[in-house]
């Protein structure tokens, strides 16, 4: 086979040999590009896209780290103000005092404590409070007393409905949550 190709090559004219060499070189260059250079360029582009995505992910992680540090500092600050189990804070008693101070004691139709929930470093106490026909100024006074309490109370769920027969009075359903440090 090689001898046959050698005989055919020697039988070609010099111009045909040059054309054959140029064609072979062109085909070789195209094959090298198709099988070596182009895949490497695509791989490099894919790695560049992945690197850009990883840089964005890294920036997002750094931002989340800053947010986490801020929230952790806020949690530690709040934990310092939480009453401990030794202080014996009673959420029911506080709600009664706040309702009495806001002149709503007679409007309280129900206070239903829920079972306490224990988290990592604190215990969560929940009381559902129902008020019937509360005037707006007294209701605002009650909510202000809860909001400004030194015990870090929060109201995660509330519903206020106006009474149809007395539009200046409201039926209120609140869930008040208090936290206590575990020792």
């Amino acid at each position: 086979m090689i001898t046959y190709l050698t005989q055919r090559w020697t039988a070609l004219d010099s111009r045909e040999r040059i054309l054959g060499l140029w064609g072979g070189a062109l085909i070789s260059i195209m094959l090298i590009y198709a099988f070596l250079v182009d895949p490497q360029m695509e791989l490099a582009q894919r790695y560049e896209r992945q690197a850009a995505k990883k840089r964005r992910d890294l920036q997002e992680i750094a931002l989340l780290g800053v947010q986490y540090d801020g929230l952790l500092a806020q949690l530690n600050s709040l934990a310092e103000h939480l009453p401990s189990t030794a202080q014996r804070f009673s959420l029911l008693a506080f709600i009664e005092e706040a309702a009495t101070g806001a002149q709503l004691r007679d409007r309280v139709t129900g206070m239903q404590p829920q079972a306490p929930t224990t988290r990592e470093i604190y215990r969560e106490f929940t009381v559902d409070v129902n008020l019937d026909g509360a005037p707006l100024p007294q209701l605002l006074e009650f909510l202000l007393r809860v909001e400004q309490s030194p015990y870090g109370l929060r109201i995660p769920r509330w519903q206020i409905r106006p009474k149809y027969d007395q539009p200046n009075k409201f039926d209120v359903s609140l869930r008040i949550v208090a936290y206590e440090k575990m020792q």
Side-chain angles (χ1 to χ4, degrees):
M1 171 92 170
I2 292 181
T3 56
Y4 173 73
L5 289 175
T6 307
Q7 288 173 355
R8 294 283 295 173
W9 181 257
T10 56
L12 292 175
D13 191 24
S14 68
R15 191 174 53 180
E16 291 171 338
R17 285 184 197 162
I18 291 173
L19 186 60
L21 287 175
W22 276 105
L26 184 61
I27 290 174
S28 298
I29 290 171
M30 288 174 54
L31 289 174
I32 288 172
Y33 181 80
F35 290 110
L36 293 177
V37 175
D38 190 43
Q40 291 299 320
M41 289 174 56
E42 287 179 15
L43 188 64
Q45 288 174 351
R46 187 172 77 217
Y47 286 156
E48 186 60 37
R49 286 191 305 269
Q50 287 176 350
K53 183 182 180 303
K54 296 296 181 189
R55 282 192 291 274
R56 286 192 306 270
D57 290 347
L58 189 60
Q59 289 173 346
E60 185 177 343
I61 288 171
L63 180 63
L64 288 174
V66 169
Q67 289 176 348
Y68 175 78
D69 290 341
L71 290 174
L72 187 62
Q74 190 178 19
L75 177 65
N76 290 335
S77 172
L78 288 174
E80 291 175 5
H81 295 89
L82 292 179
S84 66
T85 53
Q87 291 178 337
R88 294 292 178 213
F89 167 72
S90 172
L91 181 58
L92 289 172
F94 176 82
I95 292 172
E96 281 190 36
E97 289 174 17
T100 303
Q103 300 171 357
L104 285 177
R105 181 67 188 108
D106 58 333
R107 302 292 183 178
V108 176
T109 59
M111 285 196 302
Q112 183 175 8
Q114 306 296 320
T117 307
T118 303
R119 304 283 182 195
E120 294 175 12
I121 59 170
Y122 60 90
R123 184 176 297 139
E124 181 179 283
F125 295 96
T126 304
V127 175
D128 290 332
V129 179
N130 295 317
L131 303 170
D132 185 38
L136 184 60
Q138 284 86 0
L139 177 61
L140 291 176
E141 175 68 24
F142 176 73
L143 293 174
L144 188 64
R145 287 175 183 265
V146 170
E147 176 74 23
Q148 294 178 347
S149 74
Y151 305 112
L153 303 180
R154 64 181 195 105
I155 304 173
R157 185 185 63 78
W158 53 277
Q159 184 177 16
I160 301 175
R161 298 170 306 278
K163 293 184 79 61
Y164 292 109
D165 56 343
Q166 298 173 326
N168 59 344
K169 295 190 178 182
F170 300 91
D171 291 335
V172 181
S173 175
L174 301 169
R175 174 168 285 170
I176 301 175
V177 179
Y179 300 95
E180 177 180 84
K181 277 193 285 191
M182 300 290 291
Q183 288 184 353

